[in-house]
Amino acid sequence: MRFQSVVARRLSEDRYSAFARDVIEGLTARPKRLSPKYFYDETGSRLFEEITALPEYYPTRCELAILGAHAPEMARLFPAQTALIEFGSGSSKKARLMLDAAPSIAAYVPVDISSKWLAEEAARLRRDYARLAVLPVAADFTESFQLPRSIATLGRAGFFPGSTIGNFEPHQARAFLQHAAGILGEDAILIVGIDLVKDEGTLTAAYNDAAGVTARFNLNLLARANRELGADFDLAKFSHQAFYNRERARIEMHLVSRSRQKTSVCGRMIELGECETIHTENSYKFTVESFGTLARGAGWTPVAAWSDADGYFSVQALRAAK
Ligand code: AVJ
């Protein structure tokens, strides 16, 4: 305990980045952990794009099919003259399906932590949608942020696709939904993509692809620490592990140490035992009912749910509860 508090104090000094602090804290904790939010540097974002095209990785394909088929029905739930606010917009590919289907969208507000990506995508959107106000906000969408003033008179529709909500612990998912209700205000609609509980074989294959892209995506966390923090992880000494935890309805991803080893990060020694794991991601799966219960507990009323033909993925519409 004493040791922990000394570590925490030293790590709060400015000369360490948030990434450095989280890596050292996570790798000196028991069990060891690293946050999935660090997957997405340039290499990781590229690897994730590759994942979305893998034959085993069904979520992106299913969600695009659902949006392609049902975006007009979703848009009919929006107030006339709406601002579409996307939490964690990335490439805005899914938002484009909404924009194409919904003439009622007057403004698009992509919220993303990467300001470079945001600016480039905003320029492309302005070119492709001449009458749309594109108002990017560079912010961590899990923290409080200000919506652009110019949308004050518009209705609000939140958009949170990709099953990103599945990365949160249940209590964090509830907190996020409450936070979204606060940002979006009365009469808002929230469109959320969630991955559904299904047979274990399909679930585990999606995170253990034959081409090994998910393994590279997972290992990139250590490669990133090597690049950005001057750490000296030997990637050959770790293996990718992903399995379904049925009791908690989540895929867990870990990096398993193949042997007893020592490594250093920012001058700090990290020790790993043989077979010790670093827990890098949870990806929660829901049923339409379990997600509805979560939403009701966070200030939202489920109004509609759409699914793909296999029932693998679901896009749900929620209305802010009065
Ligand atoms: C982007 C969080 C939805 O959980 O399926 C893909 C990330 N991790 N393969 C997911 C991911 C491993 C993905 N999400």
Side-chain angles (χ1 to χ4, degrees), residues 73-130:
E73 289 162 65
M74 296 174 197
R76 252 175 262 138
L77 299 169
F78 297 172
Q81 294 298 301
T82 296
L84 183 73
I85 296 142
E86 181 167 10
F87 299 96
S89 49
S91 72
S92 296
K93 185 171 172 195
K94 292 164 190 166
R96 282 172 181 261
L97 290 174
M98 298 301 292
L99 295 172
D100 292 340
S104 58
I105 299 174
Y108 172 53
V109 183
V111 183
D112 204 283
I113 200 147
S114 160
S115 50
K116 179 174 165 270
W117 185 267
L118 262 181
E120 288 170 13
E121 190 52 35
R124 281 191 285 267
L125 285 162
R126 288 192 189 104
R127 194 194 55 210
D128 298 344
Y129 300 87

Coordinates of all heavy atoms in Angstrom, one line a residue, residues 73-130:
E73 N -35.7 4.6 -40.8 CA -36.7 4.5 -39.7 C -36.1 5.1 -38.4 O -36.8 5.7 -37.6 CB -36.8 3.0 -39.3 CG -37.7 2.2 -40.3 CD -37.4 0.7 -40.1 OE1 -37.8 0.2 -39.0 OE2 -36.8 0.1 -41.0
M74 N -34.8 5.0 -38.3 CA -34.1 5.7 -37.1 C -34.3 7.2 -37.2 O -34.7 7.9 -36.3 CB -32.6 5.3 -37.1 CG -32.4 3.9 -36.8 SD -30.6 3.5 -37.0 CE -30.7 1.7 -37.2
A75 N -34.1 7.7 -38.4 CA -34.2 9.1 -38.6 C -35.6 9.7 -38.4 O -35.7 10.8 -38.0 CB -33.7 9.5 -40.1
R76 N -36.6 8.8 -38.6 CA -37.9 9.3 -38.4 C -38.2 9.5 -36.9 O -39.2 10.2 -36.6 CB -38.9 8.2 -38.9 CG -39.6 8.7 -40.2 CD -40.5 7.7 -40.8 NE -39.8 7.0 -41.9 CZ -39.8 5.7 -42.1 NH1 -40.5 4.9 -41.4 NH2 -39.1 5.2 -43.2
L77 N -37.4 9.0 -36.0 CA -37.6 9.2 -34.6 C -37.0 10.6 -34.2 O -37.2 11.1 -33.1 CB -36.9 8.1 -33.8 CG -37.4 6.7 -34.0 CD1 -36.5 5.7 -33.3 CD2 -38.8 6.6 -33.4
F78 N -36.1 11.1 -35.1 CA -35.4 12.4 -34.7 C -36.4 13.6 -34.8 O -37.3 13.6 -35.6 CB -34.3 12.7 -35.7 CG -33.2 11.6 -35.7 CD1 -32.1 11.7 -36.6 CD2 -33.1 10.6 -34.7 CE1 -31.1 10.8 -36.6 CE2 -32.1 9.7 -34.8 CZ -31.1 9.8 -35.7
P79 N -36.2 14.6 -33.9 CA -36.9 15.8 -34.0 C -36.6 16.5 -35.4 O -35.6 16.2 -35.9 CB -36.4 16.7 -32.9 CG -35.6 15.8 -32.0 CD -35.2 14.6 -32.8
A80 N -37.6 17.3 -35.9 CA -37.3 18.0 -37.1 C -36.1 18.9 -36.8 O -36.0 19.5 -35.8 CB -38.5 18.8 -37.6
Q81 N -35.2 19.1 -37.8 CA -34.0 20.0 -37.6 C -33.2 19.5 -36.4 O -33.3 20.0 -35.3 CB -34.5 21.5 -37.3 CG -35.1 22.1 -38.6 CD -34.1 22.1 -39.7 OE1 -33.1 22.7 -39.6 NE2 -34.5 21.4 -40.8
T82 N -32.4 18.5 -36.6 CA -31.7 17.8 -35.6 C -30.2 18.0 -35.8 O -29.7 18.1 -36.9 CB -31.9 16.3 -35.6 OG1 -33.3 16.1 -35.3 CG2 -31.1 15.5 -34.6
A83 N -29.5 18.1 -34.7 CA -28.0 18.0 -34.7 C -27.7 16.5 -34.3 O -28.2 16.0 -33.3 CB -27.4 18.9 -33.7
L84 N -26.9 15.9 -35.2 CA -26.5 14.5 -34.9 C -25.1 14.6 -34.2 O -24.1 15.1 -34.8 CB -26.3 13.7 -36.2 CG -25.9 12.2 -36.0 CD1 -27.1 11.4 -35.5 CD2 -25.5 11.6 -37.4
I85 N -25.0 14.1 -33.0 CA -23.8 14.2 -32.2 C -23.2 12.8 -32.0 O -23.8 11.9 -31.4 CB -24.1 14.8 -30.8 CG1 -24.7 16.3 -31.1 CG2 -22.9 14.9 -29.9 CD1 -25.8 16.7 -30.2
E86 N -22.0 12.6 -32.6 CA -21.4 11.3 -32.5 C -20.3 11.2 -31.5 O -19.4 12.0 -31.5 CB -20.9 10.8 -33.9 CG -20.3 9.4 -33.8 CD -20.0 8.8 -35.2 OE1 -20.1 9.5 -36.2 OE2 -19.7 7.6 -35.2
F87 N -20.4 10.2 -30.6 CA -19.4 10.0 -29.5 C -18.3 9.1 -30.0 O -18.6 7.9 -30.3 CB -20.1 9.4 -28.3 CG -21.2 10.3 -27.7 CD1 -22.5 10.1 -28.1 CD2 -20.9 11.3 -26.8 CE1 -23.5 10.9 -27.5 CE2 -21.9 12.2 -26.3 CZ -23.2 12.0 -26.7
G88 N -17.1 9.7 -30.2 CA -16.0 8.9 -30.7 C -16.2 8.6 -32.2 O -16.4 7.4 -32.6
S89 N -16.1 9.6 -33.1 CA -16.5 9.5 -34.4 C -15.6 8.7 -35.4 O -16.0 8.1 -36.3 CB -16.8 10.8 -35.0 OG -15.7 11.7 -34.7
G90 N -14.3 8.7 -35.1 CA -13.4 8.0 -36.0 C -13.5 8.4 -37.4 O -13.5 9.6 -37.7
S91 N -13.8 7.5 -38.3 CA -13.9 7.8 -39.7 C -15.2 8.3 -40.2 O -15.4 8.7 -41.4 CB -13.5 6.6 -40.6 OG -14.5 5.7 -40.5
S92 N -16.2 8.4 -39.3 CA -17.6 8.9 -39.7 C -18.3 8.1 -40.8 O -19.2 8.5 -41.4 CB -17.5 10.4 -40.1 OG -17.1 11.2 -39.1
K93 N -17.8 6.9 -41.0 CA -18.4 6.0 -42.1 C -19.8 5.7 -41.8 O -20.7 5.7 -42.6 CB -17.6 4.8 -42.2 CG -18.0 3.9 -43.4 CD -17.0 2.7 -43.6 CE -17.5 1.7 -44.6 NZ -16.7 0.5 -44.5
K94 N -20.1 5.4 -40.5 CA -21.5 5.0 -40.1 C -22.3 6.2 -40.1 O -23.5 6.2 -40.4 CB -21.4 4.3 -38.8 CG -20.8 2.9 -38.9 CD -20.4 2.3 -37.6 CE -19.5 1.1 -37.7 NZ -18.9 0.7 -36.5
A95 N -21.8 7.4 -39.7 CA -22.6 8.6 -39.6 C -23.0 9.0 -41.0 O -24.1 9.5 -41.2 CB -21.7 9.7 -39.0
R96 N -22.2 8.7 -42.0 CA -22.6 9.0 -43.4 C -23.9 8.2 -43.8 O -24.7 8.8 -44.5 CB -21.5 8.6 -44.4 CG -20.4 9.7 -44.4 CD -19.2 9.3 -45.2 NE -18.2 10.3 -45.2 CZ -18.0 11.2 -46.2 NH1 -18.7 11.2 -47.3 NH2 -17.0 12.1 -46.1
L97 N -24.0 7.0 -43.3 CA -25.3 6.3 -43.6 C -26.5 7.0 -43.0 O -27.6 7.0 -43.6 CB -25.2 4.8 -43.1 CG -24.2 3.9 -43.8 CD1 -24.1 2.6 -43.1 CD2 -24.6 3.7 -45.3
M98 N -26.3 7.6 -41.8 CA -27.4 8.3 -41.2 C -27.7 9.6 -41.9 O -28.8 9.9 -42.2 CB -27.0 8.7 -39.7 CG -26.8 7.5 -38.8 SD -28.2 6.4 -38.6 CE -29.4 7.4 -37.8
L99 N -26.6 10.3 -42.3 CA -26.8 11.6 -43.0 C -27.5 11.3 -44.4 O -28.3 12.1 -44.8 CB -25.4 12.2 -43.3 CG -24.6 12.6 -42.0 CD1 -23.2 13.1 -42.4 CD2 -25.4 13.8 -41.3
D100 N -27.1 10.2 -45.1 CA -27.7 9.9 -46.3 C -29.2 9.7 -46.2 O -30.0 9.9 -47.1 CB -27.1 8.7 -47.0 CG -25.6 9.0 -47.4 OD1 -25.3 10.2 -47.5 OD2 -24.8 8.1 -47.6
A101 N -29.6 9.1 -45.0 CA -31.0 8.7 -44.8 C -31.9 9.8 -44.2 O -33.1 9.6 -44.1 CB -31.0 7.4 -44.0
A102 N -31.2 10.8 -43.7 CA -32.0 11.7 -42.8 C -31.8 13.2 -43.2 O -30.9 13.9 -42.7 CB -31.5 11.5 -41.3
P103 N -32.7 13.6 -44.0 CA -32.7 15.1 -44.4 C -33.0 16.0 -43.2 O -32.7 17.2 -43.3 CB -33.8 15.2 -45.5 CG -34.5 13.8 -45.6 CD -33.9 12.9 -44.6
S104 N -33.5 15.4 -42.1 CA -33.8 16.3 -41.0 C -32.5 16.6 -40.2 O -32.6 17.4 -39.3 CB -34.7 15.5 -40.0 OG -34.1 14.3 -39.6
I105 N -31.4 16.1 -40.6 CA -30.1 16.4 -39.9 C -29.6 17.7 -40.4 O -29.2 17.7 -41.6 CB -29.1 15.3 -39.9 CG1 -29.7 14.0 -39.3 CG2 -27.8 15.7 -39.2 CD1 -28.8 12.7 -39.4
A106 N -29.5 18.7 -39.6 CA -29.1 20.1 -40.1 C -27.6 20.3 -39.7 O -26.9 21.1 -40.3 CB -29.9 21.1 -39.4
A107 N -27.1 19.6 -38.6 CA -25.8 19.7 -38.2 C -25.2 18.4 -37.8 O -26.0 17.5 -37.2 CB -25.7 20.7 -37.1
Y108 N -23.9 18.2 -38.0 CA -23.3 17.0 -37.5 C -22.1 17.4 -36.6 O -21.3 18.2 -37.0 CB -22.7 16.2 -38.7 CG -21.9 15.0 -38.4 CD1 -22.3 14.0 -37.5 CD2 -20.6 14.8 -39.0 CE1 -21.5 12.9 -37.1 CE2 -19.8 13.7 -38.6 CZ -20.3 12.8 -37.7 OH -19.5 11.7 -37.4
V109 N -22.1 16.8 -35.4 CA -21.1 17.2 -34.4 C -20.3 15.9 -34.1 O -20.7 15.2 -33.2 CB -21.7 17.8 -33.1 CG1 -20.7 18.2 -32.1 CG2 -22.7 19.0 -33.5
P110 N -19.2 15.7 -34.8 CA -18.4 14.5 -34.4 C -17.5 14.9 -33.2 O -16.8 15.9 -33.2 CB -17.5 14.3 -35.7 CG -17.5 15.6 -36.4 CD -18.7 16.4 -36.0
V111 N -17.5 14.1 -32.2 CA -16.7 14.3 -31.0 C -15.6 13.2 -31.0 O -15.9 12.0 -30.9 CB -17.5 14.3 -29.7 CG1 -16.7 14.6 -28.5 CG2 -18.7 15.2 -29.8
D112 N -14.4 13.6 -31.0 CA -13.3 12.6 -31.0 C -12.0 13.2 -30.4 O -11.8 14.4 -30.4 CB -13.0 12.2 -32.5 CG -12.3 10.8 -32.5 OD1 -11.1 10.7 -32.2 OD2 -13.0 9.8 -32.8
I113 N -11.3 12.3 -29.8 CA -10.1 12.8 -29.1 C -8.9 13.2 -30.1 O -8.1 14.0 -29.7 CB -9.6 11.7 -28.1 CG1 -8.7 12.2 -27.0 CG2 -9.0 10.5 -28.8 CD1 -8.9 11.5 -25.7
S114 N -9.0 12.6 -31.3 CA -7.9 12.9 -32.2 C -8.3 14.1 -33.1 O -9.1 14.0 -34.0 CB -7.7 11.6 -33.1 OG -7.0 12.0 -34.3
S115 N -7.7 15.2 -32.8 CA -8.1 16.5 -33.6 C -7.7 16.5 -35.0 O -8.3 17.1 -35.9 CB -7.7 17.7 -32.8 OG -6.3 17.6 -32.5
K116 N -6.6 15.8 -35.3 CA -6.0 15.8 -36.7 C -7.0 15.1 -37.6 O -7.4 15.6 -38.6 CB -4.7 15.1 -36.7 CG -4.0 14.9 -38.0 CD -2.6 14.4 -38.0 CE -2.2 13.9 -39.3 NZ -2.5 12.5 -39.6
W117 N -7.4 13.9 -37.2 CA -8.4 13.0 -37.9 C -9.7 13.8 -38.1 O -10.3 13.8 -39.1 CB -8.6 11.8 -37.1 CG -9.4 10.7 -37.7 CD1 -10.8 10.5 -37.5 CD2 -9.0 9.7 -38.6 NE1 -11.2 9.5 -38.2 CE2 -10.2 8.9 -38.9 CE3 -7.8 9.3 -39.2 CZ2 -10.1 7.8 -39.7 CZ3 -7.8 8.2 -40.0 CH2 -8.9 7.5 -40.3
L118 N -10.1 14.5 -37.0 CA -11.4 15.2 -37.0 C -11.4 16.3 -38.1 O -12.4 16.4 -38.8 CB -11.6 15.9 -35.7 CG -12.4 15.3 -34.6 CD1 -12.4 16.2 -33.4 CD2 -13.8 15.1 -35.1
A119 N -10.3 17.0 -38.2 CA -10.3 18.2 -39.1 C -10.3 17.6 -40.6 O -11.0 18.2 -41.4 CB -9.0 19.0 -38.9
E120 N -9.6 16.6 -40.8 CA -9.5 16.0 -42.2 C -10.9 15.5 -42.6 O -11.4 15.7 -43.7 CB -8.5 14.8 -42.2 CG -7.1 15.3 -42.2 CD -6.1 14.2 -42.0 OE1 -6.5 13.0 -42.2 OE2 -4.9 14.4 -41.7
E121 N -11.5 14.8 -41.6 CA -12.8 14.2 -42.0 C -13.9 15.3 -42.1 O -14.8 15.2 -43.0 CB -13.2 13.2 -40.9 CG -14.4 12.3 -41.2 CD -14.4 11.6 -42.5 OE1 -13.3 11.2 -43.0 OE2 -15.4 11.5 -43.1
A122 N -13.8 16.3 -41.3 CA -14.7 17.4 -41.4 C -14.7 18.1 -42.8 O -15.7 18.4 -43.4 CB -14.5 18.5 -40.3
A123 N -13.4 18.2 -43.3 CA -13.3 18.9 -44.6 C -14.0 18.0 -45.7 O -14.7 18.5 -46.6 CB -11.8 19.0 -44.9
R124 N -13.8 16.7 -45.6 CA -14.4 15.8 -46.6 C -15.9 15.8 -46.5 O -16.6 15.8 -47.5 CB -13.9 14.3 -46.3 CG -12.5 14.1 -46.9 CD -12.2 12.6 -46.9 NE -11.9 12.1 -45.6 CZ -10.7 12.0 -45.0 NH1 -9.6 12.4 -45.8 NH2 -10.5 11.6 -43.8
L125 N -16.4 15.9 -45.2 CA -17.9 15.9 -45.0 C -18.5 17.2 -45.6 O -19.6 17.2 -46.2 CB -18.2 15.8 -43.6 CG -18.1 14.3 -43.0 CD1 -18.0 14.4 -41.5 CD2 -19.3 13.5 -43.4
R126 N -17.8 18.3 -45.4 CA -18.3 19.6 -45.9 C -18.4 19.6 -47.4 O -19.3 20.1 -48.0 CB -17.4 20.7 -45.4 CG -17.6 21.0 -44.0 CD -16.9 22.3 -43.6 NE -16.9 22.4 -42.1 CZ -15.8 22.2 -41.4 NH1 -14.7 22.0 -41.9 NH2 -16.0 22.3 -40.1
R127 N -17.4 18.9 -48.0 CA -17.4 18.8 -49.5 C -18.6 17.9 -50.0 O -19.3 18.2 -50.9 CB -16.1 18.2 -49.9 CG -15.7 18.3 -51.4 CD -14.6 17.3 -51.7 NE -14.9 16.0 -51.3 CZ -14.0 15.1 -50.9 NH1 -12.8 15.3 -50.9 NH2 -14.4 13.8 -50.6
D128 N -18.8 16.8 -49.2 CA -19.8 15.9 -49.7 C -21.3 16.2 -49.3 O -22.2 15.8 -49.9 CB -19.5 14.5 -49.1 CG -18.2 13.9 -49.6 OD1 -17.7 14.5 -50.6 OD2 -17.7 13.0 -49.1
Y129 N -21.4 17.0 -48.2 CA -22.8 17.4 -47.8 C -22.8 19.0 -47.6 O -22.6 19.5 -46.6 CB -23.1 16.8 -46.4 CG -23.1 15.3 -46.4 CD1 -21.9 14.6 -46.2 CD2 -24.3 14.6 -46.7 CE1 -21.9 13.2 -46.3 CE2 -24.2 13.2 -46.7 CZ -23.1 12.5 -46.5 OH -23.1 11.1 -46.6
A130 N -23.0 19.6 -48.8 CA -22.9 21.1 -48.9 C -23.8 21.8 -47.9 O -23.4 22.9 -47.4 CB -23.2 21.5 -50.3

